[in-house]
Amino acid sequence: MPSGEEAKKSDSRQCCICSLRRAVLKRPKTQQQICRECFFSAFENEIHQVIVENQLFRPGERVAIGASGGKDSTVLAYVLSELNRRHNYGLDLYLLSVDEGITGYRDDSLETVKRNEVQYGLPLKIVSYKSLYGWTMDEIVKAIGLKNNCTFCGVFRRQALDRGAALLKTDKLVTGHNADDMAETVLLNILRGDIARLSRCTLITTGEDGPIPRCKPFKYTYEKEIVIYPPHLKNYFYTYAYFKKLDYFSTECIYSPNAYRGFAREFIKDLERIRPRAIIDIIRSGENFRISTSTKMPEQGTCELCGYISSQKWCKACVLLDGLNRGLPRQGIGRTRGPNSAKKDGLKIQPEMETESVVRSKPCGTLDF
């Protein structure tokens, strides 16, 4: 009988790409058993191809990277800075963070972003809910409770990133939304019957008709390939962030356990365990959705208060903020179309945060990608 060590050696396999080194992981997307070096090359080259094929950037552009300190945005900042140097994209890159005001969570993750600023040599800009809206998420949760708080955070965070990008005078904003996120969004929009968002949620670039376009270079990149998943179990995957020894923040938001998206996430994970290609298949299905020409779509206009793109009289951010300021925090939750009796002075914008362009800087946003 062979010893345990001998059995372990006999079970080791060579990399299926180079056939020179021992395989150290099986790629969740392709099921290939490959070595560390070939994984780095495949991971980075796939993202480079996505950038090139979709013409995400032009030389000389200023690009803000939405940086939360978490796994996706940290890997995005590292990979994009490496590809920018290696392939001579000619981009000026910046880190852009939003401080939602969540004690014991965001304050700690921002320390990670500050370390990334030094590690990657990228300038950092931080904008906060408090300075933009006069509210922190801790204060909002105190007013609204744990239910529906993610609606506020999602809408406010989206417009905070837009305002931060406007302050940096960037041409593009990139986010770390990965393939798992994209598949979850397709599923959520189907469950909600949201035809308008379903038609655009798989686009790799959105907001081209708005102030600052958003790009998702990780659109086809599996979460399991970005970071160790799941980190609390023994049978986790050793992946990019682990092998590169990147510095990221891994704690979940203390207010997110009850988020509706969490149910879609668990369903996607169950599908992936049965069929690893399920994530990409859902994204491809979303890309191939076609809306009947007879379907009435929302007409795009501008918010009467802030001038930002909106299909309603007031954009979602203005409705939510007005409700908070008037002591009606549930205003705008669910399918409420907008305040009928609200006064314009319910919306308070901090003057020190205004920029030269009203449309590019004042409160705005919808809850999508």
Side-chain angles (χ1 to χ4, degrees), residues 155 159 302-321 337-339 347 362-366:
V155 173
Q159 70 94 13
T302 56
C303 174
E304 290 185 357
L305 286 180
C306 68
Y308 199 76
I309 294 174
S310 175
S311 59
Q312 303 296 329
K313 184 176 180 180
W314 285 19
C315 71
K316 190 71 169 180
C318 288
V319 173
L320 293 175
L321 185 57
R337 289 296 180 184
L347 180 64
K362 287 191 176 181
C364 50
T366 55

Side-chain angles (χ1 to χ4, degrees), residues 52-227:
V52 172
E53 291 173 3
N54 293 277
Q55 300 179 332
L56 296 188
F57 310 116
R58 292 194 298 268
E61 286 187 325
R62 294 166 63 92
V63 178
I65 303 171
S68 65
K71 54 182 176 57
D72 299 310
S73 63
T74 299
V75 173
L76 177 62
Y78 175 82
V79 171
L80 197 54
S81 60
E82 285 294 304
L83 294 179
N84 185 43
R85 175 187 55 80
R86 185 183 308 164
H87 297 287
N88 194 27
Y89 292 163
L91 306 177
D92 291 326
L93 300 176
Y94 301 84
L95 296 178
L96 173 60
S97 294
V98 176
D99 181 2
E100 299 95 338
I102 304 176
T103 305
Y105 168 68
R106 184 55 72 208
D107 45 358
D108 291 339
S109 69
L110 286 176
E111 292 302 313
T112 303
V113 179
K114 292 173 183 176
R115 293 195 297 271
N116 293 158
E117 175 187 16
V118 176
Q119 293 161 352
Y120 307 150
L122 301 177
L124 169 64
K125 175 69 177 179
I126 300 175
V127 293
S128 71
Y129 282 11
K130 189 68 175 180
S131 62
L132 292 174
Y133 314 117
W135 292 78
T136 66
M137 272 309 297
D138 286 340
E139 293 168 343
I140 292 173
V141 170
K142 188 175 181 180
I144 191 71
L146 289 175
K147 187 176 181 180
N148 296 317
N149 65 84
C150 288
T151 297
F152 285 84
C153 197
V155 173
F156 288 169
R157 180 178 175 79
R158 179 177 177 81
Q159 70 94 13
L161 284 171
D162 280 339
R163 294 184 70 185
L167 290 170
L168 287 171
K169 294 181 171 58
T170 58
D171 302 292
K172 299 276 177 62
L173 172 64
V174 296
T175 60
H177 292 105
N178 57 49
D180 299 57
D181 298 324
M182 300 290 287
E184 290 164 14
T185 304
V186 172
L187 180 60
L188 282 172
N189 286 329
I190 290 174
L191 294 175
R192 291 168 175 160
D194 196 330
I195 300 299
R197 289 193 181 124
L198 187 58
S199 66
R200 65 176 185 266
C201 69
T202 56
L203 297 177
I204 196 166
T205 300
T206 57
E208 293 180 288
D209 56 347
I212 300 175
R214 292 185 176 217
C215 305
K216 297 179 279 291
F218 283 177
K219 176 180 176 179
Y220 301 111
T221 304
Y222 276 33
E223 182 181 31
K224 286 182 177 178
E225 296 197 352
I226 294 173
V227 73

Side-chain angles (χ1 to χ4, degrees), residues 234-277:
K234 291 182 179 180
N235 59 336
Y236 50 65
F237 293 84
Y238 290 99
T239 47
Y240 194 86
Y242 174 82
F243 284 127
K244 286 289 186 178
K245 296 181 171 57
L246 300 185
D247 183 5
Y248 63 92
F249 185 78
S250 58
T251 302
E252 291 290 332
C253 175
I254 60 176
Y255 297 138
S256 69
N258 296 320
Y260 185 43
R261 177 174 287 271
F263 298 102
R265 180 174 297 117
E266 289 303 314
F267 179 69
I268 295 293
K269 297 304 180 190
D270 289 340
L271 286 178
E272 186 187 11
R273 279 190 283 271
I274 300 171
R275 188 171 187 272
R277 286 279 310 175

